[in-house]
Amino acid sequence: MEQHTVLSQAMLLLHQAEVRISGGNLDALSLTLPDRSTQEVKVWIADTPPTPSKLVAILERKVRTLIVTSHPTRALSQAASQDRIDLITVDPASVMIGGVQRLQLRQERDAPTEKTRGRTPWGRWALLRALALADGPWTQHGLAVAVGISQPAVNKHLKLLTPFVDRDESGWKAHDVSAIVSWLTRNYPGPRGVSSYWYSLKSPTEQAEKAAAFAKEIGAAPLISGDAAADIYAPWRLPDSVLVYLREAVDFTDAGFSPASKEEATLITTVPEDPTLWATALLVHMSANIPLADPIVTLRDVLADDAVDSDEAAEHLREAILAGTAR
């Protein structure tokens, strides 16, 4: 079980324990307890519980720490019961915050997923998206600004992208956008990150608008992707769910949504690992009343959907990207 899977399940357990996530990101969270008191916690996440020496090091930091892990150990349980740490475990499902057992039930673990080795090349994938979506040639400086990475990093990545890009006197450009899009849909793993699941009876379009407005108001910088974004880029079928990327975790209860399981969710919110989403989103000039992830990220998310007609919806979006109308 990967770290993002552990934390995703932990966030659902917090909701079941009536503990609200009122802010934060992958490193720290602001929690609102049932008595409406708040608690700021540093988040330590790992599938394997910390060793005794690691736990001692965590306790010595004198910073309130929420440990999120797959299963408890005697030392962890003792420290949590003494209110020295907060603890969430997945199996058995347990939430202990402030020395109080907030939730305890049995929950099966997900099957293990394959881990990606090495440093994830987010910048390289973002460069390919920027080149595929460009209206004209880029300078290295322009690419660095557009993608949000350093110019030396751009230079390094471009040396590896020669199968897809050319350089002339005006700058760098994609010589085969179709090849870039095909390669990215096969190799880009998606933004990854930590997800929360929500439910609403409103239409997906209304959910997207409501969620985006609420998240924007509190500074979480939402980007709509998946079905809802594809319906704006290349209308073909009505969306049946909404995917939102956020800069930080947001509790959507006050926006009219209810916490849900992954299977029941109509709104999925993700704090992504990919830091380039917001940069490439600025390359899009679509006239929409909600902020959108770029169309290539959206295409990948549509393909990852398990809907019976997701491949057809993805093909319509792909055609729009290649035609230059999904920008």
Side-chain angles (χ1 to χ4, degrees):
M1 187 184 298
E2 294 184 348
Q3 288 187 8
H4 70 275
T5 304
V6 172
L7 186 52
S8 176
Q9 293 190 19
M11 293 175 79
L12 179 57
L13 293 177
L14 281 173
H15 286 297
Q16 291 176 308
E18 299 182 352
V19 177
R20 295 178 56 186
I21 301 166
S22 47
N25 51 38
L26 294 177
D27 297 317
L29 292 174
S30 177
L31 304 178
T32 300
L33 304 181
D35 63 3
R36 298 192 177 181
S37 63
T38 60
Q39 189 157 287
E40 306 293 325
V41 294
K42 182 76 174 177
V43 182
W44 190 94
I45 317 162
D47 179 32
T48 304
T51 62
S53 60
K54 180 63 178 178
L55 178 57
V56 169
I58 291 172
L59 294 173
E60 288 178 345
R61 292 174 187 169
K62 305 299 182 183
V63 176
R64 188 76 191 185
T65 301
L66 169 64
I67 294 178
V68 181
T69 190
S70 57
H71 60 279
T73 63
R74 180 176 297 179
L76 278 177
S77 298
Q78 182 177 17
S81 65
Q82 294 173 349
D83 197 20
R84 301 178 69 194
I85 60 168
D86 297 318
L87 176 64
I88 300 177
T89 60
V90 174
D91 186 12
S94 173
V95 176
M96 288 191 70
I97 296 178
V100 178
Q101 185 79 58
R102 311 276 176 175
L103 179 74
Q104 190 171 29
L105 52 93
R106 193 76 189 175
Q107 181 168 313
E108 295 181 357
R109 296 190 191 184
D110 287 342
T113 55
E114 183 179 353
K115 296 183 179 180
T116 301
R117 294 182 180 179
R119 188 174 181 179
T120 306
W122 301 119
R124 190 181 312 158
W125 289 325
L127 282 175
L128 281 174
R129 299 200 307 273
L131 288 159
L133 296 171
D135 296 324
W138 289 97
T139 64
Q140 284 195 16
H141 175 71
L143 282 169
V145 172
V147 176
I149 62 177
S150 68
Q151 193 166 332
V154 170
N155 181 57
K156 177 182 177 181
H157 289 312
L158 286 173
K159 292 177 181 178
L160 301 173
L161 299 179
T162 52
F164 304 111
V165 299
D166 291 319
R167 182 187 180 187
D168 58 25
E169 64 279 359
S170 56
W172 294 86
K173 59 185 178 180
H175 61 71
D176 190 342
V177 173
S178 178
I180 290 177
V181 173
S182 296
W183 189 90
L184 283 171
T185 55
R186 291 194 306 270
N187 295 279
Y188 176 56
R192 296 179 177 164
V194 177
S195 297
S196 295
Y197 304 97
W198 305 88
Y199 179 82
S200 172
L201 292 173
K202 294 184 180 295
S203 71
T205 300
E206 290 177 303
Q207 291 185 49
E209 293 174 349
K210 184 69 173 178
F214 183 78
K216 187 175 182 180
E217 183 179 342
I218 61 176
L223 293 175
I224 305 298
S225 186
D227 281 352
D231 187 49
I232 296 172
Y233 283 126
W236 180 73
R237 65 168 176 136
L238 292 175
D240 56 13
S241 63
V242 180
L243 173 59
V244 187
Y245 293 111
L246 302 165
R247 289 280 194 190
E248 60 182 48
V250 174
D251 189 323
F252 282 93
T253 305
D254 289 341
F257 293 87
S258 301
S261 67
K262 182 177 181 179
E263 293 72 24
E264 297 172 335
T266 57
L267 172 72
I268 302 167
T269 65
T270 299
V271 179
E273 292 180 22
D274 187 344
T276 68
L277 295 193
W278 284 267
T280 57
L282 295 176
L283 302 175
V284 178
H285 307 296
M286 294 289 293
S287 177
N289 61 349
I290 56 176
L292 303 175
D294 78 59
I296 298 178
V297 168
T298 298
L299 174 62
R300 184 269 167 198
D301 288 334
V302 171
L303 285 169
D305 193 355
D306 58 3
V308 293
D309 54 354
S310 59
D311 287 345
E312 294 177 77
E315 186 57 33
H316 279 267
L317 178 52
R318 177 191 170 88
E319 290 174 359
I321 293 170
L322 298 183
T325 58
R327 300 179 190 176

